[in-house]
Every structure is written in structure tokens, then in C-alpha cells.
Amino acid sequence: MPTYTVETNGDIALTAATAKTVLNVINSGRTLKVTELSVSFDGVTANAEPVTVELCASTQATAGTPGATPTPAQVSGAARSAVATAGRAYSAEPTVLTVLKRWLIHPAGGALLMQYPLGREPLRDSSGHGLALRCTAPAAVNCQGYIEIAENE
């Protein structure tokens, strides 16, 4: 089964106390599973409050407004183009978002790397639904990250 990655392609600015969908991968006909995700921050203040990082399911009731629509890049498996589509750095949030997992990560050198065990990956099997990585920082900070996905036949 091929795997693909969608990444931030550099810094994404987070505005204080404002939720921002950093990455969103949208199912286009194949079951979509998150195998790995990561996010890190460039804050420098040791006593800063943590950033809330959420993995969300999205119905894509409204698509939101992505800053870019990158093509998922294949990282393993037999050569095949991804069917899933993606967006990054949303200026208007997609809906309806349901939080599946939530973490608090320190913005000064904090990083999250999550690898999901086989058979326990968050997934979307309805065409048009997505899996999104959303961050809410108490103070302005930049983030970088990626979502790695697998597509079933």
C-alpha cells in the first residue's frame, strides 16, 4: 500500500488564540489512513503556554480557504499517484471539524511525532471527508509539520 506525505513547506504563522488548520488531507475515493504526523514550533520563550494541537475529522461541509493545495508526495510503495487532495495554511477553516486526538505541545522547541500502530490508524472512508491538523497557540508562533497517509485500493 503506497504512502504519501503532505507537509507545510516552511513556516506557517499562527495568530494568538486563533485556531488554524495547518494541513488537511481529503479523501477522494480510497480509504485514507494517517500513519504518521508531526508538528513543531519555533518559539523562544521558556515560560510560554503550550500550543493545542488537534487531529480532526472533517466532513468538508465547507471546504475552507487553503493558502495552497499541494499534491501529496509518494514516500513508499509501488509507484502510483495519490487520489487524495490536500490543503495547507487555511485562512478560513474547513467544516465540520471533530477532534479525534488532542495534545499540548510547548512552543519553545516542542515537537510532536506520532506514529500510529497498524490497525489503529485514524481513517476516513467517505469520499470528500478529510483529516486535518489544527493548531491553536496562546501567542504568535510559527509551526512546521506533515501528515503521512496511506490509501487503500
Side-chain angles (χ1 to χ4, degrees), residues 1 6 35 63 73 88 96:
M1 166 184 340
V6 176
T35 57
R88 71 172 161 243
V96 172

Side-chain angles (χ1 to χ4, degrees), residues 13-153:
L14 302 178
T15 303
T18 304
K20 183 176 195 85
T21 296
V22 175
L23 295 168
N24 190 19
V25 184
I26 303 147
N27 180 333
S28 294
R30 294 184 181 139
T31 298
L32 183 70
K33 295 180 179 182
V34 174
T35 57
E36 182 175 306
L37 63 84
S38 181
V39 65
S40 59
F41 305 95
D42 69 354
V44 295
T45 306
N47 62 350
E49 293 182 47
V51 177
T52 300
V53 177
E54 299 167 319
L55 176 63
C56 301
S58 173
T59 65
Q60 293 299 113
T62 58
T65 307
T69 54
T71 299
Q74 187 168 2
V75 294
S76 71
R80 183 176 83 188
S81 296
V83 174
T85 59
R88 71 172 161 243
Y90 281 71
S91 59
E93 293 293 291
T95 63
V96 172
L97 297 175
T98 302
V99 176
L100 303 175
K101 305 281 183 177
R102 180 179 288 131
W103 303 269
L104 291 174
I105 307 298
H106 199 280
L112 169 68
L113 172 61
M114 176 61 66
Q115 295 178 322
Y116 286 98
L118 185 62
R120 295 182 50 202
E121 308 96 334
L123 65 85
R124 286 287 147 277
D125 57 7
S126 296
S127 189
H129 288 203
L131 288 159
L133 188 61
R134 180 172 64 176
C135 298
T136 308
V141 68
N142 294 316
C143 73
Q144 292 191 18
Y146 65 88
I147 296 176
E148 185 175 294
I149 57 156
E151 287 183 339
N152 286 353
E153 294 295 329

